[in-house]
Amino acid sequence: DGGITQSPKYLFRKEGQNVTLSCEQNLNHDAMYWYRQDPGQGLRLIYYSQIVNDFQKGDIAEGYSVSREKKESFPLTVTSAQKNPTAFYLCASSMGHRTAFNYGYTFGSGTRLTVV
Amino acid sequence: AQTVTQSQPEMSVQEAETVTLSCTYDTSESDYYLFWYKQPPSRQMILVIRQEAYKQQNATENRFSVNFQKAAKSFSLKISDSQLGDAAMYFCAYRDNNAGNMLTFGGGTRLMVKP
């Protein structure tokens, strides 16, 4: 079955460490997105990519980095520069052409990151 | 920039009753798409229902329906015959061609269902 896989489900980070969250999709979607969700709050966009080898900053990109070397993969690195990384991270994907806009996004099951 | 507002942080409904969640949005576009997503305790985001702005008929998916008022820029979600499994966070979202296929989300409404 097609879908988006995020791993790991839970991740613990020590102060000063970089960690990478994985996001893989087999839906043949062009666009991929990373969102951060804090308790009881909505989704805030970190980074997005509409095509391989290209990505743009979202609303809260500071302290994060991404790459898009393959269509299927969009990993997110939380760097030591991110001062408050404890949150729930959601990856999503969508078809890139306008005729598919009405389909919205497909989401992964998320990664819960905790700083210890 | 487009904004999406959900004015009800929390709502509760008795099992089997009907509840309506509100959503308003701000846009100057005429062609766009609106969505309601459900996020249960598992945190998985699930698409509940979608509406295309050029369609006047309100979308319906089983117990879920919308009241789309384009002039008022309002997009409310009605859940009929509420079930315990409907308890979740609900997010309203907007998407248009000029936004580079980006979804803009509201802040969410937590729905509690009382047995």
Side-chain angles (χ1 to χ4, degrees), chain A residues 12 20 22 38 45 53 77 89 97 100 106 114:
Chain A
F12 297 89
T20 297
S22 171
D38 293 286
L45 182 65
N53 292 322
T77 297
Y89 291 86
H97 48 92
T106 300
T114 303

Side-chain angles (χ1 to χ4, degrees), chain B residues 8-80:
Chain B
Q8 307 151 316
E10 284 190 1
M11 293 281 286
S12 66
V13 62
Q14 203 71 34
E15 196 175 4
E17 297 292 309
T18 295
V19 64
T20 299
L21 308 184
S22 300
C23 173
T24 58
Y25 56 95
D26 182 26
T27 185
S28 57
E29 301 297 322
S30 60
D31 186 15
Y32 51 87
Y33 306 88
L34 296 162
F35 307 86
W36 277 99
Y37 281 89
K38 171 185 178 180
Q39 189 181 41
S42 67
R43 310 295 293 271
Q44 177 77 52
M45 293 283 280
I46 303 164
L47 179 63
V48 174
I49 199 166
R50 55 181 165 231
Q51 174 80 40
E52 298 171 47
Y54 64 86
K55 289 186 177 179
Q56 294 185 350
Q57 185 173 6
N58 289 323
T60 299
E61 290 286 344
N62 300 315
R63 297 183 295 108
F64 298 88
S65 61
V66 299
N67 183 5
F68 174 48
Q69 302 287 330
K70 191 171 185 178
K73 297 178 183 176
S74 171
F75 182 60
S76 59
L77 174 70
K78 185 172 84 171
I79 306 174
S80 304

Side-chain angles (χ1 to χ4, degrees), chain B residues 96-111:
Chain B
D96 72 40
N97 186 40
N98 293 327
N101 78 22
M102 303 302 299
L103 270 179
T104 301
F105 288 89
T109 296
R110 180 173 301 281
L111 177 66

